[in-house]
């Protein structure tokens, strides 16, 4: 029989002074008995503020509520855990894609079962002229997929469906004979904090010109670099960044992005997003240096010809 007056043995955990400042989960023993007659236990998830081996206690700040002071003798188990993803990274892939539609001011959308048909007569972009076939999809009637294909053929466009890589929608369409459109062109939607990305940009960049054009804000650096942006609610979309080949390697692309970040911050944007081909290593390095992190990968499928 357990003596309730004795503390639970210490040493069955991965905690210590080294976890101060880290997110941890701690299982501690309480007084009394649990529902099944064994020791009463509870878990605390939060950031370790203090670990004092001399005084034999630690302090954990849970994600909600006041900090908890825990005697070390009450700890049954514990370990560091990964940081909680930022709010922006907890946005679903479908919602992120829907928000990214703001980069196409003339975009028209039509619901098709669980998916969305997208068409922009002013754009040749696959993003603006493909079905958003992101989940949750559930059971999809093959007739719906035929309707999707017919929608684009009627507009003299190739039938395309944007799918999250390795998601159930990709499996479903491949099972109906759809294949990759332009293999090797998988894309990534990446997100960043506008404020942090703006601070990470170099300060000695070439000057940029900013002007509104057809519902977007266009940034130009000289005659060799251009990009556009839009703010919808508190999200800044960055797109169309390009640098003339002879002018590459001079920081012009960074100057375009930095100007868009500064403009977006002035408009009240807190989250920035952009989409880039996975294999574009130069652009990927540039964006990673500003703090952009991958949110999800996607590709385009089309019926087998």
């Amino acid at each position: 029989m357990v003596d309730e007056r004795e503390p639970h043995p210490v040493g069955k955990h991965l905690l210590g002074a080294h976890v101060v400042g880290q997110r941890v989960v701690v299982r501690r023993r309480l007084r009394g008995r649990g529902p099944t007659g064994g020791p009463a236990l509870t878990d605390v998830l939060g950031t370790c503020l203090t670990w004092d081996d001399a005084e034999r206690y630690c302090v954990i700040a849970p994600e909600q509520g006041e900090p908890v002071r825990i005697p070390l003798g009450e700890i049954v188990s514990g370990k560091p855990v990964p940081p909680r993803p930022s709010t922006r990274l907890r946005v679903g892939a479908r919602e992120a894609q829907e928000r990214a539609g703001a980069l196409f001011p003339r975009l028209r959308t039509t619901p098709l079962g669980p998916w969305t048909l997208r068409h922009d007569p002013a754009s040749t972009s696959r993003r603006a002229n493909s079905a958003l076939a992101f989940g949750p999809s559930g059971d999809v009637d093959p007739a719906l997929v035929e309707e999707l294909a017919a929608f684009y053929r009627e507009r003299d466009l190739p039938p395309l469906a944007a799918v999250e890589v390795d998601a159930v929608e990709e499996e479903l369409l491949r099972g109906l004979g759809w294949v990759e459109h332009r293999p090797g062109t998988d894309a990534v939607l990446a997100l960043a904090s506008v404020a942090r990305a703006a601070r990470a940009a170099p300060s000695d960049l070439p000057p940029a010109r900013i002007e509104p054009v057809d519902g977007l804000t266009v940034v130009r650096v000289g005659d060799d670099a251009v990009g556009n942006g839009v703010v919808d609610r508190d999200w800044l979309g960055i797109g169309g960044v390009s640098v003339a080949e002879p002018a590459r390697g001079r920081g012009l692309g960074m100057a375009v992005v930095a100007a868009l970040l500064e403009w977006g911050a002035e408009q009240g944007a807190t989250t920035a997003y952009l989409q880039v081909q996975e294999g574009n290593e130069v652009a990927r390095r540039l964006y990673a240096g500003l703090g952009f992190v991958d949110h999800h990968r996607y590709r385009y499928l089309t019926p087998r010809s």
Side-chain angles (χ1 to χ4, degrees):
M1 181 172 178
V2 178
D3 186 343
E4 295 291 339
R5 296 170 298 178
E6 293 297 322
H8 193 282
V10 184
K12 298 182 179 180
H13 56 74
L14 302 176
L15 305 174
H18 63 282
V19 301
V20 172
Q22 296 185 40
R23 190 167 180 249
V24 298
V25 61
V26 179
R27 174 159 291 185
R28 63 181 297 198
R29 181 180 176 182
L30 304 175
R31 293 180 179 277
R33 294 285 184 178
T36 61
L41 304 172
T42 189
D43 292 332
V44 180
L45 174 65
T47 302
C48 181
L49 302 181
T50 304
W51 186 280
D52 192 322
D53 282 313
E55 298 295 329
R56 308 296 296 163
Y57 76 93
C58 66
V59 177
I60 308 297
E63 291 169 356
Q64 292 184 344
E66 297 297 318
V68 180
R69 188 179 191 278
I70 303 174
L72 300 190
E74 293 181 0
I75 296 177
V76 176
S77 61
K79 61 181 180 180
V81 295
R84 189 180 187 189
S86 68
T87 302
R88 64 182 57 90
L89 291 180
R90 295 200 296 273
V91 170
R94 183 186 182 116
E95 180 181 348
Q97 286 285 336
E98 289 172 340
R99 284 176 174 260
L103 281 166
F104 302 93
R106 294 185 177 87
L107 185 69
R108 303 169 183 171
T109 60
T110 304
L112 180 66
W115 301 341
T116 302
L117 301 174
R118 304 178 295 186
H119 175 48
D120 183 346
S123 174
T124 59
S125 167
R126 292 189 295 177
R127 276 184 282 159
N129 292 287
S130 60
L132 181 60
F134 275 50
S137 296
D139 294 328
V140 176
D141 190 329
L144 180 144
V145 179
E146 288 299 320
E147 187 176 344
L148 182 163
F151 175 89
Y152 291 102
R153 289 187 177 119
E154 289 169 2
R155 290 158 178 79
D156 294 322
L157 295 168
L160 296 177
V163 297
E164 189 174 2
V165 172
D166 295 333
V168 65
E169 291 76 23
E170 178 174 10
E171 181 180 355
L172 184 155
L173 287 167
R174 286 187 181 275
L176 294 173
W178 288 50
V179 295
E180 285 186 51
H181 183 255
R182 300 180 195 165
T185 59
D186 288 359
V188 172
L189 188 145
L191 302 178
S193 158
V194 170
R196 290 179 183 174
R199 288 197 299 269
S203 58
D204 56 345
L205 295 169
R209 306 190 310 274
I210 301 178
E211 58 182 335
V213 178
D214 295 334
L216 297 174
T217 291
V218 176
V219 168
R220 302 183 192 278
V221 177
D223 297 325
D224 296 311
V226 66
N228 56 64
V230 65
V231 171
D232 180 35
R233 291 171 282 179
D234 60 344
W235 280 43
L236 164 68
I238 296 174
V241 178
S242 64
V243 179
E245 189 169 354
R248 292 176 183 172
R250 289 160 37 192
L252 302 188
M254 176 67 80
V256 168
V257 176
L260 284 167
L261 288 165
E262 183 177 351
W263 170 80
E266 292 171 353
Q267 308 306 307
T270 58
T271 296
Y273 65 86
L274 51 82
Q275 299 174 83
V276 60
Q277 284 197 3
E278 190 173 34
N280 188 342
E281 294 298 333
V282 173
R284 298 264 281 158
R285 285 195 297 271
L286 185 154
Y287 299 137
L290 294 174
F292 281 87
V293 296
D294 294 355
H295 185 272
H296 64 272
R297 294 168 55 220
Y298 64 98
R299 60 172 53 121
Y300 297 92
L301 302 182
T302 191
R304 191 189 307 275
S305 57

